[in-house]
Amino acid sequence: MERPGAGLMAETFLELLYEDAPPAAYDELCDRLRERLGDAAAEQHALALQVRERVARHRGREAELSALYDTAGDLTAIRDLDTILGAIVRRARQLLHADMTYLSLNDEAEGASYMKVTDGALTPEFRELRLPLGTGLLGLVAQAGAPYFTEDYQVDERFVHREYIDSAVAGERIRAILGVPLVVDGHVIGALLAVHRTVRPFPPGEVTLLTSFAAHAAVALENARLFEQARAAVDAADEANALLRSRSEQVEGAARAHDRLTDVLLHGGGVAEIAEVLAGVLGGQVTVYDEAQRLLAGEPEDVPGLDAAVEQALRSGRSVELAPGTYVAVAAAGEGHLGTLLVRTGPLEQGERRTLERGAIVTALVLLFARTEAEAEERVRGELLVDLLAGRELDRERLRERARRQGAEVEKPGVLAVARVAGADLHRAARMAGRLARERHGLAAAHEGHVVLLVPGDEALEVGEALRARVGAEPDRVTVGVVAVPGSDGVPAGHAEARRCVDTLLALGRDGEVSDPPHLGLARLLLGSSGREELDDFVDAVLGPVLAYDAGRGAELADTLAAWFSAGGSLRSAAAALHVHPNTVSQRLERVGSLLGAGWREPDRALDVQLALRLHCLRA
């Protein structure tokens, strides 16, 4: 049977439950109803409080489950590990109503556990704290893999205390600590802790809740590790694919370059075509030099250190990176250096450098073919020139046909030059002269120890200077005699005359000069076959005292004597030429007489004196 007023009372307590009123409101209502209902009011009051407590627990559990659900959602939505761990630590602090929460990770190499994420920390020292495993509550949880808590850490003797750890804990004013392990595949990787700055116990529900958050944190860490492995694997695969594509492109590029270089070789292309192909394939500027660094193709480049790079490339047989984006490769045949390829471009991969080296090989073949062809042509040209020099009876039509095939013009008036090359390879000098001959439609050959050149033209000295510059790396070691010839019939006599010019220059000590017969005068007839020692003996015998007097006193007797002879014996004319007074000329001639002796003006001796003076001037 329902007690009187019980329904009204229930509705009242239900209203308080619905309004989520505080416990004091229940006590106040119970006091008001106790006078009318007695013990029934107390029973309903107790029942209402039990219901209220159960509703509060369900609400708390619902909040915990919601937080755990949100955290689980974060694990799938958030890829940044620090963001996930920060969210876990922050939610754990909120649900446990802790003053601070933090998560640590183990460093097995150092045997310590270090702070990874904190929420609510007051001091930077605590956020950077590292605890040896087994030390303090954190170190114990991280080592043992089991939950631990203390109501008051500072006085709890169960844990190993260290001064610097206790100092950091005191700085945070920490008292109660709850720690649970982070476990992945049965292996402890760290710990999750909740802290209060007041002394208090930790009920089992909080331990269970923090353990759940720790499990989520462990899953996040494991997912991050697997995600990182997957990302690394994807990156490695992408890198491998990129490398494979790059290698494939390099192989295809090398194949195309090989085909194009082969086409150049098969179709008789030259060095310029090879440089053009390489520039297109490698995407840069290509310059080609011969073995003496004379430009063959491309634009000239002033590159410091090129000689050293060429030597290194010759030794290694590979291309050399002279500077960033600048590469050198040599065109070589055996140990012979035929040419140098200089490439200015961006960084070259190994495949591209192999293409450059292949281009150097093709360049070497082209240069070798050209050299072989030139040598064959030079032999043919040389044979024709030797026949002309020998003055053999040649069929005129046959002569003209041979010359026509070689592009030489031998019937026109021309210049014949003979060069004596000291300290150099005669055949190499002949090849250089052959190039000059081809340029000028002439002939060249090595003959009787000299280089001989025959070209059409009328500027004898200019041809001699051109030959001198072309055949010698050191032009002062090349002595050239030149003579004009009316055509092929005048070649033998012109050769003999040019040879006498060379011999005369050498006898006079004028090595490295160019001269023709008019510039040597009578000396070429007298000295063309004489040695230098004979020349010196003649000059000293005839003119020695005068030359010694000039050398010892700084006088000008020899010059005065030469001026007097040139003036036909006129004192006044000689004085005018020397810019002195006639009496000075007379006094100097008296001194010459005292040195040379009486009779030096007689025709025979005067001739010797004049010749000695002429030779002395030529020698000087």
Side-chain angles (χ1 to χ4, degrees), residues 151-172:
E151 296 181 9
D152 191 353
Y153 175 81
Q154 298 286 14
V155 298
D156 198 330
E157 299 296 333
R158 293 178 298 163
F159 309 107
V160 178
H161 290 265
R162 294 283 181 89
E163 182 180 353
Y164 73 95
I165 298 175
D166 290 349
S167 176
V169 169
E172 290 286 341

Side-chain angles (χ1 to χ4, degrees), residues 9 31 40 88 99 116 226 230 268-269 301 303 369 375 411 427 481 503 513 525 537 565 611:
M9 180 173 56
D31 291 341
I88 291 173
D99 294 320
K116 175 68 175 176
L226 294 175
E301 296 278 350
V303 182
F369 291 161
E375 289 176 351
E411 295 298 328
H427 295 288
D503 293 340
E513 292 190 21
L525 301 177
D537 291 342
F565 277 120
L611 181 57

Side-chain angles (χ1 to χ4, degrees), residues 205-291:
E206 292 186 354
V207 176
T208 301
L209 179 59
L210 193 61
T211 301
S212 298
F213 275 104
H216 282 301
V219 171
L221 289 166
E222 180 64 7
N223 286 349
R225 184 184 67 83
L226 294 175
F227 182 74
E228 185 63 29
Q229 286 183 351
R231 183 164 55 189
V234 171
D235 291 343
D238 291 342
E239 184 178 351
N241 288 333
L243 180 61
L244 184 60
R245 282 196 305 271
S246 177
R247 293 287 173 82
S248 178
E249 291 172 358
Q250 290 180 20
V251 170
E252 293 177 1
R256 290 194 300 270
H258 178 76
D259 292 342
R260 293 179 63 184
L261 291 171
T262 302
D263 288 341
V264 171
L265 191 61
L266 294 178
H267 290 85
V271 174
E273 287 80 358
I274 296 173
E276 182 179 354
V277 169
L278 290 177
V281 172
L282 301 179
Q285 180 178 336
V286 179
T287 304
V288 184
Y289 301 96
D290 66 7
E291 72 278 10

Side-chain angles (χ1 to χ4, degrees), residues 125-146:
E125 292 79 11
F126 191 83
R127 288 191 289 267
E128 298 174 358
L129 193 62
R130 298 177 73 91
L131 285 76
L133 295 179
T135 302
L137 188 144
L138 168 59
L140 184 59
V141 172
Q143 183 183 54

Side-chain angles (χ1 to χ4, degrees), residues 253-499:
R256 290 194 300 270
H258 178 76
D259 292 342
R260 293 179 63 184
L261 291 171
T262 302
D263 288 341
V264 171
L265 191 61
L266 294 178
H267 290 85
V271 174
E273 287 80 358
I274 296 173
E276 182 179 354
V277 169
L278 290 177
V281 172
L282 301 179
Q285 180 178 336
V286 179
T287 304
V288 184
Y289 301 96
D290 66 7
E291 72 278 10
Q293 292 191 14
R294 288 184 289 263
L295 184 66
L296 296 179
E299 296 296 327
E301 296 278 350
D302 184 13
V303 182
L306 181 59
D307 292 338
V310 168
E311 292 181 5
Q312 182 180 349
L314 283 171
R315 288 194 304 268
S316 65
R318 294 291 186 182
S319 59
V320 173
E321 187 173 10
L322 179 59
T326 301
Y327 299 85
V328 174
V330 293
E335 296 182 356
H337 178 207
L338 301 178
T340 300
L341 281 73
L342 176 67
V343 179
R344 286 187 179 274
T345 181
L348 296 181
E349 301 291 340
Q350 288 299 320
E352 294 172 319
R353 294 184 67 169
R354 298 293 87 81
T355 298
L356 171 58
E357 292 161 6
R358 189 175 294 111
I361 293 174
V362 176
T363 301
L365 290 174
V366 170
L367 292 175
L368 191 60
F369 291 161
R371 175 175 293 185
T372 302
E373 181 180 359
E375 289 176 351
E377 183 180 351
E378 287 165 8
R379 283 195 298 271
V380 174
R381 287 174 173 269
E383 290 172 359
L384 176 57
L385 180 57
V386 169
D387 288 342
L388 293 175
L389 293 173
R392 300 189 182 101
E393 293 293 334
L394 300 177
D395 180 84
R396 306 305 299 178
E397 291 299 326
R398 176 62 178 163
L399 174 65
R400 280 193 289 269
E401 179 61 20
R402 289 172 64 186
R404 184 190 65 79
R405 290 179 180 178
Q406 298 170 46
E409 300 175 357
V410 298
E411 295 298 328
K412 294 181 178 180
V415 176
L416 190 139
V418 175
R420 172 69 178 272
V421 183
D425 182 355
L426 180 62
H427 295 288
R428 181 185 179 281
R431 287 197 302 272
M432 298 297 102
R435 295 179 184 178
L436 179 61
R438 286 193 298 273
E439 294 171 6
R440 301 197 177 202
H441 307 289
L443 302 171
H447 182 63
E448 296 180 353
H450 294 75
V451 175
V452 182
L453 173 71
L454 175 64
V455 295
D458 55 5
E459 297 291 336
L461 292 177
E462 185 274 331
V463 171
E465 291 292 350
L467 177 62
R468 174 175 170 268
R470 183 67 64 93
V471 303
E474 301 178 17
D476 59 343
R477 306 186 69 178
V478 181
T479 306
V480 184
V482 291
V483 64
V485 294
S488 60
D489 292 338
V491 168
H495 175 247
E497 186 72 14
R499 281 285 301 270

